[in-house]
């Protein structure tokens, strides 16, 4: 059975979004970013290991359009291999509305979150990854559907902001942690029960 991996950038104090517009992320997904070569390779390797991207209805079209344009701008740049992969793999939107995505290689799946995720995980193929949004990831965590949580902790503290742990305190089992020269620490967890 396939796993669902959540990958999100976070602040050092655990927030995935700031209450006010401040430049807290070390990389805002544009051409020049200060990630070191090892972290760029880790990110590309993580994306290469999946064949399905789960996205929210509110995020899907802008997300796919952005990475399609980046893949076209840098067709041979190794650091942007992940952008080409995003364009090539299937994107899935879980929805309870009659939403029709504009993006190529994107399908919608209707039904309850637990039922649709169980069906997606049982399909053949490699793992599934999602990058958010916050509401979708919060719901996936609350339903116990996340198999691995990867938080790219940026060297910034926000003091408040958006959290993906809206349902309360939760036990996390550390699967691995790796620091990088640029200041980001990638923490991998298996989400557990509410405390």
């Amino acid at each position: 059975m396939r796993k669902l991996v959540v990958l999100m950038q976070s602040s050092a104090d655990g927030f995935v979004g700031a209450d006010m517009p401040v430049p807290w992320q070390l990389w805002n997904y544009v051409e020049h970013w200060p990630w070191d070569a090892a972290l760029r390779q880790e990110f590309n390797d993580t994306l290469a290991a999946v064949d399905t991207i789960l996205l929210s209805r509110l995020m899907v079209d802008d997300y796919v359009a952005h990475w399609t344009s980046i893949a076209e701008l840098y067709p041979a740049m190794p650091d942007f291999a992940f952008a080409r992969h995003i364009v090539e793999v299937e994107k899935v939107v879980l929805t309870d509305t009659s939403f029709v995505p504009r993006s190529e290689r994107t399908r919608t799946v209707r039904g309850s979150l637990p039922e649709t995720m169980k069906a997606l995980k049982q399909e053949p193929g490699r793992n599934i990854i999602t990058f958010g949004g916050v509401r979708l990831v919060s719901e996936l965590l609350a339903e116990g559907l996340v198999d691995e949580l990867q938080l790219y902790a940026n060297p910034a503290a926000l003091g408040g902001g958006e959290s993906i742990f809206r349902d309360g305190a939760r036990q996390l089992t550390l699967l691995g942690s790796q620091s990088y020269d640029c200041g980001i620490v990638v923490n991998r967890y298996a989400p557990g029960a509410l405390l």
Side-chain angles (χ1 to χ4, degrees), residues 67 71-72 74-89:
W67 290 117
E72 290 169 354
Y74 308 105
M77 195 174 197
D79 285 340
F80 286 101
F82 74 89
R84 295 184 294 279
H85 190 68
I86 287 170
V87 173
E88 294 165 0
V89 301

Side-chain angles (χ1 to χ4, degrees), residues 14 112 132 149-150 165 185 190:
S112 75
L149 177 61
Q150 294 186 12
F165 301 105
V185 178

